[in-house]
Amino acid sequence: MDYKLLNLLLRLGDFFAITPSLKEPQGHKRIRQVRLVLIKFFITVGTAMSIYYKDISRNYHMVKKISLILTDLVLYAFNMCVMMEVKKFKEWHRLLNNLKMIDCFLKCNSDDKKESLYTKFLVLLLIIFIITIYMCYYWTVVYGFLFWQRLSFTIFESYSLFIYTGCIYVILRTMLSKYKALKDVLKIIIFKNGKLYLREIEYLVSLMSETVCIINDIFGRSLALMISFATLQLINYFDYGLSNRSYAGDMFHRALTQILFCTLMCPILVVILTCDSIVDESQTILSMVFRSRSSFRDPQRRKELYRFAELFSQNRPQFTAARYFSIEKSTILKILETILTFLIVLVQF
């Protein structure tokens, strides 16, 4: 498990009040609550300012107005939802404890890869931060204080969204590595060892299934809102690029700004693909166990493999966005379908 990177993300998330402080002293809880109230007040005021100063009442068609307002409201709902999920201390503790227990069972450590991921994340965060500072300076020169009135909230919350999505990705990537390690263990037990020790692994399968349920419980609603926000934001970006309206600033800086915000949302796409990879890995394990039954002549061993396959089938991972829809590769196609539908409507005006 990438404890070093996860600890960094949890610390950054605690700064934005989007993840719990798992080692916080009792005396600091009141300070955290006050900080949480202040951040909620800032987000509420920022959302109102963002909607008001975008001046959407005069220049845009009704569909464009709805798209812009929904984007800000969904982002606001996401932040309020995440701050509610921060209070799930027991679920967060169970999640981290389960991951540690699975680690002990499977003994799958890859320190080099963990260090590589940690370094890559720091470099990416530094590059995004430098570009953001430069773009804020440029657009402040172009628009003046109006730029901060319009986009200061969006910039702050885009970073919090990036950190939160990164935290989800690290947890999902850890689960993916566990299922791969489980597949390797089963290969050794089934194909290289004469004896079957499947009963010892049945508890591990149940523990992994429980961990996936906890992930759905903690992140399900926020994932639904994140995907909705990414869809609406991409609609606005494409409309911005395809429209013939005149905007301040040169083409290079406008394009760089759009690329920056798209980069901040790329982790959402990675999260969707990682969820799908975990489900695919579990299907590979199930198919391997079913196929291996024919290699044993002993009826007792076949029966034991069949029982394990049934148990694994009942505990297969499935990721949902608060049970509204399953998170898989087809989700990306649904996002693109929604974007194209909106764009067909928007380009007519």
Side-chain angles (χ1 to χ4, degrees):
M1 181 177 174
D2 303 322
Y3 293 109
K4 190 175 180 181
L5 179 55
L6 185 59
N7 285 333
L8 172 65
L9 290 168
L10 288 175
R11 288 176 179 274
L12 292 173
D14 182 42
F15 173 77
F16 288 100
I18 56 176
T19 60
S21 181
L22 301 177
K23 296 182 180 181
E24 184 177 44
Q26 293 291 328
H28 293 175
K29 285 187 177 181
R30 183 169 296 180
I31 298 174
R32 179 180 175 81
Q33 290 174 353
V34 172
R35 184 160 60 89
L36 193 62
V37 171
L38 291 175
I39 292 177
K40 285 182 178 180
F41 175 77
F42 167 74
I43 292 172
T44 303
V45 173
T47 303
M49 288 178 58
S50 179
I51 294 173
Y52 177 78
Y53 284 106
K54 279 177 180 174
D55 195 21
I56 62 176
S57 60
R58 291 185 293 179
N59 301 323
Y60 299 125
H61 185 268
M62 181 59 68
V63 178
K64 179 66 174 177
K65 295 177 185 178
I66 293 173
S67 176
L68 288 170
I69 293 173
L70 276 178
T71 302
D72 284 334
L73 291 180
V74 169
L75 185 57
Y76 177 77
F78 163 76
N79 285 281
M80 293 298 108
C81 175
V82 167
M83 289 181 186
M84 292 294 295
E85 290 170 348
V86 166
K87 299 179 181 179
K88 296 181 178 180
F89 292 104
K90 291 183 179 179
E91 286 80 357
W92 276 92
H93 278 288
R94 282 174 57 202
L95 173 62
L96 297 179
N97 287 335
N98 282 7
L99 291 174
K100 291 177 181 177
M101 290 175 65
I102 296 170
D103 240 351
C104 293
F105 268 103
L106 295 174
K107 306 290 185 183
C108 50
N109 294 314
S110 53
D111 295 332
D112 294 338
K113 293 182 179 180
K114 293 174 185 178
E115 288 295 330
S116 175
L117 182 63
Y118 182 82
T119 304
K120 288 178 181 178
F121 178 80
L122 287 181
V123 171
L124 178 62
L125 199 62
L126 180 61
I127 291 173
I128 291 175
F129 181 75
I130 292 172
I131 295 175
T132 303
I133 294 296
Y134 171 71
M135 295 310 302
C136 287
Y137 169 76
Y138 174 80
W139 290 114
T140 302
V141 172
V142 174
Y143 282 108
F145 186 64
L146 183 62
F147 166 76
W148 294 100
Q149 292 173 324
R150 289 181 177 179
L151 291 176
S152 59
F153 163 75
T154 304
I155 293 171
F156 177 83
E157 290 310 316
S158 295
Y159 264 95
S160 69
L161 180 66
F162 179 78
I163 298 299
Y164 192 77
T165 312
C167 185
I168 298 175
Y169 168 69
V170 171
I171 293 172
L172 290 175
R173 185 175 179 272
T174 301
M175 286 302 301
L176 178 60
S177 68
K178 305 311 175 196
Y179 275 99
K180 288 181 178 180
L182 175 61
K183 182 178 67 176
D184 294 337
V185 170
L186 286 172
K187 283 181 179 178
I188 294 173
I189 291 176
I190 294 173
F191 298 111
K192 295 184 179 180
N193 197 342
K195 297 182 180 179
L196 295 176
Y197 297 98
L198 296 178
R199 291 190 179 182
E200 288 79 355
I201 302 179
E202 288 176 359
Y203 173 74
L204 176 62
V205 171
S206 301
L207 186 63
M208 295 172 76
S209 175
E210 178 190 339
T211 305
V212 171
C213 291
I214 296 172
I215 291 172
N216 286 328
D217 183 35
I218 295 176
F219 303 115
R221 285 179 290 275
S222 57
L223 278 171
L225 292 168
M226 286 161 56
I227 293 171
S228 301
F229 170 72
T231 304
L232 289 166
Q233 194 74 310
L234 286 173
I235 289 171
N236 294 329
Y237 290 160
F238 281 118
D239 179 64
Y240 175 90
L242 295 174
S243 64
N244 294 321
R245 302 185 190 95
S246 58
Y247 293 95
D250 60 73
M251 180 63 70
F252 170 76
H253 287 91
R254 293 205 304 268
L256 188 60
T257 302
Q258 301 307 310
I259 292 172
L260 174 63
F261 279 108
C262 286
T263 302
L264 290 172
M265 290 192 298
C266 279
I268 298 175
L269 177 64
V270 176
V271 164
I272 294 173
L273 293 175
T274 307
C275 288
D276 189 80
S277 297
I278 294 173
V279 175
D280 282 349
E281 196 67 29
S282 69
Q283 181 60 46
T284 302
I285 294 173
L286 188 61
S287 300
M288 181 186 70
V289 173
F290 272 117
R291 288 197 308 268
S292 65
R293 287 183 301 165
S294 59
S295 62
F296 290 95
R297 296 182 179 180
D298 187 352
Q300 184 63 30
R301 291 185 175 182
R302 286 189 180 184
K303 184 178 179 181
E304 190 173 353
L305 272 173
Y306 181 81
R307 184 172 60 84
F308 177 80
E310 287 296 318
L311 173 70
F312 190 86
S313 179
Q314 294 171 6
N315 288 275
R316 284 182 60 198
Q318 183 180 11
F319 297 95
T320 64
R323 297 184 180 178
Y324 289 114
F325 55 88
S326 297
I327 300 175
E328 51 194 7
K329 282 183 180 177
S330 61
T331 306
I332 300 173
L333 294 178
K334 292 174 184 176
I335 292 173
L336 294 175
E337 181 184 355
T338 304
I339 292 172
L340 288 174
T341 303
F342 261 85
L343 287 178
I344 290 171
V345 176
L346 287 173
V347 295
Q348 299 178 28
F349 303 100

